[in-house]
Amino acid sequence: MNILETLQWRYAAKRMNGQRVPSDKVERILEAIRLAPSSMGLQPYSVLLIEDEELKKQIRSVAYNQPQIEESSHLLVFAAWDNVTTAHIDEFISHTASERNMPVENLQDFKNTLLGTAKGNTQEQNFNWAARQAYIAFGVGLVAAATEKVDATPMEGFDAAALDKLLNLPEKGLRSVTLMPLGYRDTANDWLVKLPKVRRQKEKFVLEA
């Protein structure tokens, strides 16, 4: 399928059938997410890969009992940094220098820009910025899953504080942003599966400036 056919095929599955997604497909989806763009390349978020059935059941209980969580093969939790710290930036600069085989001193101006931006914001502003970056990767993940013919449901409907506590995210300096169950649509029980895709008309959506 080309990209438009792929996007026509995908939808937010309301029920999944529990079928296992092959590990190679999951790895390609995760790699696409890892390769997603982010502002200044910092990638201020992590993705938690959850397969444990008991843990998925507990997450469902803090996500308004949405069945896809428990019916999924894998559950991805996108979690943003709760702040952007000097330690984060130091690690990023060091890694960049290593990957590009250059002295870390060559990146001092870039580092100063990052530090100035982070220190000029409040912690909540830094978190909100990090969350927006996570959403870029999240969108890439949805498209990557569709390319693999794997269903992926975007979810914001959950108690973030309860999920953070359940997954010990504060200890990792993270806060949950959104969820992505991966699996295969249950065509017998999903009320949405046969309905036409609805999107705004192109002439209303694309405006000429």
Side-chain angles (χ1 to χ4, degrees), residues 69-127:
I69 292 174
E70 201 169 349
E71 294 167 349
S72 69
S73 170
H74 299 73
L75 176 65
L76 305 185
V77 178
F78 287 71
W81 295 351
D82 64 1
N83 198 6
V84 180
T85 67
T86 300
H88 284 135
I89 293 171
D90 284 343
E91 181 180 1
F92 171 63
I93 292 296
S94 177
H95 180 61
T96 300
S98 175
E99 288 292 298
R100 293 179 173 172
N101 194 29
M102 62 172 60
V104 71
E105 293 78 14
N106 288 12
L107 297 169
Q108 189 61 49
D109 288 345
F110 182 36
K111 178 179 178 179
N112 291 341
T113 298
L114 291 170
L115 288 170
T117 300
K119 292 180 178 179
N121 292 333
T122 65
Q123 179 173 348
E124 192 65 16
Q125 286 173 327
N126 280 330
F127 167 72

Side-chain angles (χ1 to χ4, degrees), residues 149-199:
K149 294 298 291 285
V150 171
D151 286 297
T153 304
M155 285 187 178
E156 290 184 308
F158 59 95
D159 182 335
L163 181 61
D164 292 353
K165 182 177 180 180
L166 177 63
L167 298 177
N168 299 314
L169 295 186
E171 297 176 9
K172 301 178 177 71
L174 297 169
R175 290 162 62 181
S176 56
V177 174
T178 189
L179 308 179
M180 186 189 296
L182 298 175
Y184 296 102
R185 61 191 67 177
D186 183 345
T187 57
N189 294 299
D190 189 342
W191 62 270
L192 190 58
V193 67
K194 294 182 180 179
L195 296 180
K197 186 183 292 291
V198 178
R199 294 292 186 269

